[in-house]
Amino acid sequence: MTSIKEQHEKMIEEVLEVYPAAAKADRAKHLGTSDSSCTSSCITSNRKSQPGVMTARGCAYAGSKGVVFGPIKDMIHVSHGPVGCGQYSRAGRRNYYTGKTGVNTFGTMNFTSDFQEKDIVFGGDKKLAILMDELETLFPLSKGISIQSECPVGLIGDDIEAVAKETQAKTGKVVVPVRCEGFRGVSQSLGHHIANDAVRDKIIDNREQEVFEGTPYDVALIGDYNIGGDAWSTRLLLEEIGLRVISQWSGDGTLSEMELNSKAKLNLVHCYRSVNYIARHMEEKYQIPWMEFNFFGPTKIAASLTEIASKFDATIQEKAKQVIAGYEAQWAAVVAKYKPRLQGKKVMLYVGGLRPRHVIGAYEDLGMEVVGTGYEFGHNDDYDRTQPDVKDATLIYDDVTGYEFEEFVKKIQPDLIGSGVKEKYIFQKMGIPFRQMHSWDYSGPYHGYDGFDIFARDMDMTLNNPCWDKMTAPWLVEKDELKKTA
């Protein structure tokens, strides 16, 4: 009898048969099975996608504007280029924030230089400079501006640095030029790195010399984008164990908090992929240690709270134990309610950032099993960090194509898929329960003990909905039936 690992390896070979030889050889490097004895060399990642294979990746602009800078609420983020990129990235990720939109917060507004053909021919520098003046007149309470370059800007060579320097001199506000043209790099991952470098060069040191009344318990929460209120749930738990969050960004974050980050005693990194660069910089320059944590599901929450507390004194460690014990009855009731309905169900994941590994524990707390997972734009170290969270022989796929993902799903037949909006409607039409795991399908938060209740409810509501067995994919409906319906 063949093992699951052998079955999966055979399945990968069968799925790749449709490709030309060169594409087949390349894609084979990105597909495999987890193996506890294997390091990141077992799977290739962070490479250019094959032309024509329908990747789900985003671009460098999306990584900078959509992820790192966009949720900073009291800065205006200008999409310098045609209107489409800014409009597509506006308000799409549910980065919740407090404040008065258009007055002192701007997260869901689209600011663009609206390139036309003449701007491509003659350059957009002058237009951008006029835009900067208009922004100061219309939105005087903004704390700063970031200029997010779109593809044409890199091609024609607009001097956004000069415009930023001039605007900062006139207004006295921080103006950050970000060279995140979409064509740079292989995915949105480079956009994260470019944005981190811009934060390092233009923001993080701004209050370095300022006197700050700190405490031994000051921490920074970075790389949490407050999808559906996640950062708020995380912050509550950190404060419950006695820590003081002096900097929270990007979700519901402010420019001032980012500038204060250098005063923290510990950087708590939620999305490792998008902010590990700035965390490493602060470790080198300010000797601020950092650690990745996971607040999805009670098992991971308890482990993370315990590890975070271990970085501080006995007072914090004791409070962490009390908080963990205090929530036990709450999460146990959630497990008792939903586990009988979800036990043994198989899940396949394909998401970006941290979710392909972070949410595994929450599913397992409900008795579910993750049988396949992969990253849109992961690096080798992401797969290294995933290995401890998955069972041996779990199917692993990097930058999986639309065709590959559909074929894997047909063969493995999971009970639930957690992926993005690009995959959502295909699998729903196939009659397979689906959760949009980039933005929680308009639900959330999923972080923390309260979030686990919502997570469990949503998975049950989706998986056990009676609609799925009543559906037939449109492409499976007979032509005669279609004519009759018409």
Side-chain angles (χ1 to χ4, degrees), residues 62-64 66-69 93 188-197 199 222-225 249-250 269-279 292 352-355 357 377 379 382:
S64 175
V67 178
V68 178
F69 269 99
R93 297 185 73 250
Q188 57 263 58
S189 181
L190 182 62
H192 303 148
H193 201 159
I194 292 168
N196 276 223
D197 289 350
V199 171
I222 61 176
D224 192 322
Y225 303 105
W249 60 279
S250 297
V269 171
H270 181 58
C271 182
Y272 170 84
R273 181 72 276 133
S274 63
V275 295
N276 77 89
Y277 317 101
I278 195 69
E292 185 182 11
L354 54 98
R355 295 171 182 83
R357 64 177 179 273
F377 47 85
H379 294 209
D382 288 300

Side-chain angles (χ1 to χ4, degrees), residues 345-400:
K345 301 296 184 181
K346 296 185 295 184
V347 185
M348 288 181 72
L349 301 170
Y350 179 56
V351 216
L354 54 98
R355 295 171 182 83
R357 64 177 179 273
H358 270 211
V359 297
I360 292 174
Y363 281 115
E364 290 178 342
D365 287 336
L366 294 169
M368 304 171 77
E369 180 186 3
V370 173
V371 295
T373 191
Y375 295 84
E376 290 180 3
F377 47 85
H379 294 209
N380 283 5
D381 52 355
D382 288 300
Y383 289 99
D384 287 342
R385 289 166 179 268
T386 304
Q387 184 60 57
D389 289 319
V390 294
K391 296 177 180 178
D392 278 359
T394 299
L395 183 65
I396 304 292
Y397 29 82
D398 176 73
D399 185 27
V400 71

Side-chain angles (χ1 to χ4, degrees), residues 171-244:
T171 64
K173 296 179 180 179
V174 173
V175 183
V176 185
V178 191
R179 286 286 181 183
C180 57
E181 294 87 358
F183 57 76
R184 299 185 65 181
V186 303
S187 70
Q188 57 263 58
S189 181
L190 182 62
H192 303 148
H193 201 159
I194 292 168
N196 276 223
D197 289 350
V199 171
R200 177 197 66 198
D201 296 338
K202 302 292 184 180
I203 295 176
I204 213 76
D205 296 339
N206 289 353
R207 296 172 73 177
E208 183 181 356
Q209 305 303 323
E210 190 174 304
V211 176
F212 176 73
E213 193 173 332
T215 75
Y217 308 128
D218 292 344
V219 298
L221 172 59
I222 61 176
D224 192 322
Y225 303 105
N226 208 29
I227 304 297
D230 281 342
W232 295 333
S233 294
T234 294
R235 187 168 183 152
L236 284 172
L237 278 176
L238 295 175
E239 290 172 347
E240 274 193 73
I241 69 169
L243 301 178
R244 185 173 77 152

Side-chain angles (χ1 to χ4, degrees), residues 115-135:
F115 261 45
Q116 304 299 313
E117 187 175 349
K118 61 181 173 56
D119 300 309
I120 303 295
V121 176
F122 299 109
D125 303 57
K126 291 184 177 64
K127 190 174 190 178
L128 180 62
I130 294 169
L131 185 157
M132 295 288 121
D133 292 338
E134 290 177 349
L135 289 177

Side-chain angles (χ1 to χ4, degrees), residues 266-321:
L266 175 67
N267 278 328
L268 296 171
V269 171
H270 181 58
C271 182
Y272 170 84
R273 181 72 276 133
S274 63
V275 295
N276 77 89
Y277 317 101
I278 195 69
R280 295 177 195 278
H281 166 71
M282 286 189 275
E283 184 176 41
E284 292 172 9
K285 182 168 184 178
Y286 299 109
Q287 289 74 54
I288 303 173
W290 62 275
M291 61 165 283
E292 185 182 11
F293 71 97
N294 182 351
F295 276 5
F296 288 101
T299 300
K300 295 297 184 181
I301 295 171
S304 287
L305 282 176
T306 301
E307 186 179 358
I308 292 168
S310 72
K311 310 294 183 183
F312 297 92
D313 60 25
T315 303
I316 300 298
Q317 293 172 29
E318 184 56 35
K319 283 186 178 179
K321 290 178 183 176

Side-chain angles (χ1 to χ4, degrees), residues 52-67:
V53 299
M54 296 302 288
T55 178
R57 284 172 164 175
C59 65
Y61 164 85
S64 175
K65 199 272 184 180
V67 178

